[in-house]
Amino acid sequence: MEFDLSAQPEIVQQAAEYSLIVWELAKSWALSPAAWSQFALLIVAYLLAVLVARRLRGMLTRVLTPPTGSETMLSQTRRTLLLGLPLLLPLLAYGFTAIGESVVRSLFDSGAVIAFGKRLFLFLAVRTLVREIISDPLLKLLGRYVLLPVAALYAVGLLDPLAAKMNEMTVTLGNISFSVMALVRGVIAGGILFWLGGWSTRQTSQFIEAQEEMRPSLRQLTAKTIEFAIFTVAFLLLLNIMGINLSALAVIGGAVGVGLGFGLQKIASNFISGVILLIEGQATVGDYVELDGGEAGQIVKMTARAAILETFDGRWIVVPNEDFITTRVVNYSDSGSANRYEAPFSVSYDTDINRVPPIIEAAVATHPDVLDAPYPPDCELRGFGDSGIDFAVEFWVNGLDDGPNKYTSDVLFLIWNALKDNGIEIPYPHRVVEFKGDLPQVSE
């Protein structure tokens, strides 16, 4: 039966043409003994794959399962391989079908049916990979909307014609020209490359952070340098995959240079200041700093543009890196240096003040966070007050007397208990009132 489709749109005519090709192909397969033998080989290959996968799955599960609680690199690799076990069946079917295809082609000089079955098993492997194994949101999105359609087109034999058509379509941006196929390759390769870049950056950062013998600032600088290098290489590889001539980037480089000269001066200044901070190590993550502008807090993160301070009341302050270079910065905890604090107190005038220093110094020294170096606790006489004799004890600790640390409070408790235990009175304010003349009479 023939239909006149000359008046129909071109897409309808092409669809009808492809339908006729598929119909003729299916009819030739149905009437060909070679096609039936290939169908039989496909079934045998699949059943053999089911049998072998069932045997191998249990064995591989026992071999690859790491000990409970183990977090070594080998254990993590074994867990990753365990996630790929669902691919065992379609990949085995693909492999057995490929062997059958070589046999069929040597016997019948034809293997279209079994080649289609092989591509179908590959599509099932890709579908299993996307649906059951990939968990990263970006990769899952690329797999669902790019990889699966590509695998489906390959399975039905339409990938090569479509790729040829897309290679003919070009996109031009200024003096940069590339095909639609290059753009598709760039999307796929870009997603994979930048995911691999992010993963390798995280692994490298964890490894560098574990090197405790390195200065914190040097660890930060090394991690940032490696991150920049990884993504630069990924970007250059992506341009190469897309077929873009790298010399065309000269125009973009010139535009970036002009932007740095005008609108991006602050960004460039903050970036360079951040590099200087990381190299010199004057302020790094974990330090408690105070700037001239009044900003104070612990540095919890240093980025290419700014440092993030966290105050003890939970607020975050974003401070541009340039402020650390151009203004005065007080660092209370650089390189783990100790800080000195003092706790004031008073005793009664009836006290033998020569007994007070050794009693208080011994009591304060019992605090687990009070240091003996650079100086042990030192109790000093500060003056003679209206209600008592004023003392203060100076002590050194690693850390700040704020937030989770309450050093002065703890020391005052120790002073109170030590004075009570030794019978030393702590005075309270009082006044003596003197009346001149007769006292006022109270009438009854």
Side-chain angles (χ1 to χ4, degrees):
M1 183 180 296
E2 296 183 358
F3 298 95
D4 184 11
L5 301 177
S6 58
Q8 300 298 323
E10 183 181 355
I11 187 171
V12 175
Q13 298 179 29
Q14 289 182 351
E17 183 180 348
Y18 286 133
S19 299
L20 287 174
I21 294 173
V22 171
W23 170 252
E24 293 295 331
L25 182 62
K27 196 162 62 171
S28 66
W29 286 359
L31 299 176
S32 171
W36 282 105
S37 64
Q38 292 177 51
F39 277 122
L41 277 176
L42 278 177
I43 295 173
V44 171
Y46 179 75
L47 293 177
L48 184 60
V50 170
L51 180 62
V52 175
R54 193 172 296 169
R55 296 287 184 89
L56 286 178
R57 192 181 184 96
M59 182 187 70
L60 290 176
T61 301
R62 291 191 299 271
V63 172
L64 295 177
T65 302
T68 304
S70 177
E71 295 296 335
T72 63
M73 185 173 293
L74 178 60
S75 297
Q76 294 177 1
T77 304
R78 291 164 71 179
R79 290 191 185 97
T80 303
L81 293 176
L82 274 174
L83 295 176
L85 288 183
L87 288 173
L88 200 58
L89 175 59
L91 290 181
L92 283 173
Y94 177 84
F96 292 147
T97 306
I99 297 173
E101 182 186 10
S102 63
V103 174
V104 168
R105 289 191 182 278
S106 64
L107 294 177
F108 300 103
D109 197 24
S110 173
V113 176
I114 201 167
F116 171 74
K118 185 179 71 171
R119 296 195 300 268
L120 183 60
F121 287 136
L122 184 62
F123 169 76
L124 293 177
V126 172
R127 181 174 177 268
T128 302
L129 175 68
V130 173
R131 295 185 63 178
E132 301 184 25
I133 297 176
I134 295 178
S135 58
D136 184 81
L138 175 61
L139 292 183
K140 204 169 189 69
L141 185 68
L142 286 174
R144 184 177 299 166
Y145 295 105
V146 178
L147 188 58
L148 269 178
V150 168
L153 290 171
Y154 176 72
V156 297
L158 296 178
L159 183 60
D160 290 340
L162 183 63
K165 190 71 175 177
M166 294 174 69
N167 274 322
E168 297 173 359
M169 302 169 61
T170 59
V171 177
T172 303
L173 296 174
N175 63 338
I176 301 176
S177 180
F178 49 87
S179 65
V180 175
M181 188 62 191
L183 181 62
V184 173
R185 285 201 308 264
V187 171
I188 299 173
I192 296 174
L193 284 174
F194 282 97
W195 178 83
L196 286 174
W199 177 82
S200 58
T201 298
R202 289 191 297 271
Q203 299 299 317
T204 305
S205 298
Q206 291 177 5
F207 175 77
I208 293 174
E209 288 298 325
Q211 311 306 310
E212 297 182 356
E213 66 275 6
M214 297 174 64
R215 284 191 311 158
S217 58
L218 184 58
R219 292 201 298 264
Q220 288 277 322
L221 177 62
T222 305
K224 291 294 182 183
T225 302
I226 292 176
E227 179 181 1
F228 180 77
I230 288 174
F231 282 102
T232 300
V233 171
F235 179 69
L236 294 176
L237 283 174
L238 178 60
L239 294 180
N240 190 36
I241 291 171
M242 293 180 65
I244 297 176
N245 188 358
L246 297 182
S247 62
L249 294 178
V251 177
I252 299 177
V256 171
V258 173
L260 289 175
F262 291 98
L264 302 180
Q265 290 183 13
K266 282 292 183 181
I267 295 177
S269 175
N270 284 317
F271 177 77
I272 296 172
S273 298
V275 173
I276 294 174
L277 282 174
L278 291 173
I279 293 175
E280 294 184 350
Q282 295 176 351
T284 186
V285 174
D287 289 351
Y288 188 92
V289 297
E290 182 179 352
L291 283 74
D292 265 354
E295 302 90 349
Q298 186 178 34
I299 302 176
V300 295
K301 187 177 181 181
M302 297 189 73
T303 66
R305 187 189 68 84
I308 299 176
L309 311 184
E310 183 178 13
T311 63
F312 287 121
D313 54 4
R315 293 178 296 172
W316 277 24
I317 304 173
V318 180
V319 180
N321 290 329
E322 186 182 13
D323 290 357
F324 286 87
I325 303 298
T326 59
T327 62
R328 185 177 65 90
V329 179
V330 179
N331 193 331
Y332 290 93
S333 52
D334 180 44
S335 301
S337 59
N339 295 305
R340 191 193 72 178
Y341 297 99
E342 66 176 42
F345 64 97
S346 300
V347 299
S348 170
Y349 274 101
D350 297 332
T351 304
D352 180 3
I353 60 174
N354 297 299
R355 297 173 54 210
V356 173
I359 292 173
I360 299 303
E361 290 169 0
V364 174
T366 61
H367 193 286
D369 293 325
V370 172
L371 305 175
D372 292 329
Y375 301 102
D378 181 25
C379 184
E380 300 177 351
L381 176 64
R382 292 297 174 85
F384 302 100
D386 295 336
S387 303
I389 304 174
D390 298 328
F391 284 88
V393 59
E394 298 176 347
F395 58 94
W396 291 77
V397 291
N398 274 326
L400 297 172
D401 188 22
D402 202 349
N405 302 320
K406 301 292 185 289
Y407 299 125
T408 302
S409 175
D410 295 342
V411 168
L412 288 174
F413 271 105
L414 292 173
I415 292 172
W416 173 275
N417 294 327
L419 294 177
K420 289 294 184 181
D421 292 343
N422 288 273
I424 299 176
E425 180 184 353
I426 300 176
Y428 52 87
H430 61 275
R431 296 290 184 269
V432 176
V433 180
E434 180 180 350
F435 288 95
K436 292 186 176 181
D438 296 335
L439 292 174
Q441 300 295 322
V442 179
S443 60
E444 297 183 357

